Amino acid sequence: MSFTQDRELRMIETYQQLLQQWAALAPDECFTTDRDYRFKVKVLPEVEKCSFDNPWRSVTSENLTWRLHIAEDVILRQLNFVLLTVLHRCCDRQSNIHFTFIELGTIATICNGLKSQIHPHPAIAALDAYVQLLEF
């Protein structure tokens, strides 16, 4: 396995683990489905307009790196949705979040202390820091 393939597998696993942790810590915000790589995230009216009374949006970690590589619109929209949802969840908790962009990726920091690992996409970094906030 090449370094790039190993890095891509770690990104998929990390994203999936973060989504699982989010579902375990805040099932009213995110929950798991019958497939390991598929989750449902509650739609906030500030993030996305929806005509349903109890809207949930499907988010997947399947083939994440391949979909990002080909710039597939679906995965980009999902990551943007996760990023905006986490930003609004932080606002609801009156928690500030900021990002540091470096050559290797993005680091998100919440509450001046809960810092994510370096992630290739800001949504994954934000989710990493937000999960830490939920655990705190």
Side-chain angles (χ1 to χ4, degrees):
M1 182 179 296
S2 73
F3 174 75
T4 303
Q5 289 172 323
D6 184 51
R7 185 172 172 227
E8 290 173 356
L9 276 176
R10 280 196 318 258
M11 182 174 73
I12 293 168
E13 290 171 359
T14 300
Y15 187 47
Q16 186 172 353
Q17 289 170 355
L18 289 169
L19 288 168
Q20 287 171 341
Q21 288 176 290
W22 189 11
L25 294 166
D28 58 324
E29 298 175 12
C30 176
F31 69 87
T32 57
T33 64
D34 57 344
R35 295 190 176 168
D36 290 339
Y37 54 83
R38 199 170 296 279
F39 300 83
K40 296 277 188 169
V41 176
K42 186 158 188 175
V43 175
L44 298 173
E46 300 90 347
V47 174
E48 189 172 282
K49 299 282 184 219
C50 198
S51 60
F52 303 106
D53 291 337
N54 195 9
W56 295 85
R57 190 175 217 250
S58 181
V59 173
T60 183
S61 61
E62 183 182 36
N63 297 324
L64 179 67
T65 51
W66 174 78
R67 289 175 173 192
L68 281 172
H69 180 71
I70 64 166
E72 185 178 272
D73 284 349
V74 172
I75 201 68
L76 293 173
R77 282 194 309 265
Q78 286 181 16
L79 286 169
N80 288 337
F81 170 76
V82 168
L83 177 59
L84 288 172
T85 301
V86 169
L87 290 173
H88 280 279
R89 292 287 180 193
C90 289
C91 288
D92 289 345
R93 292 173 174 268
Q94 298 179 341
S95 302
N96 62 351
I97 183 170
H98 75 274
F99 298 90
T100 305
F101 300 96
I102 60 175
E103 187 176 324
L104 296 173
T106 304
I107 299 169
T109 306
I110 295 178
C111 299
N112 298 322
L114 302 173
K115 188 180 284 191
S116 76
Q117 297 296 315
I118 300 170
H119 293 287
H121 194 281
I124 301 172
L127 183 56
D128 183 352
Y130 183 61
V131 165
Q132 291 180 53
L133 180 64
L134 290 174
E135 289 175 333
F136 188 68

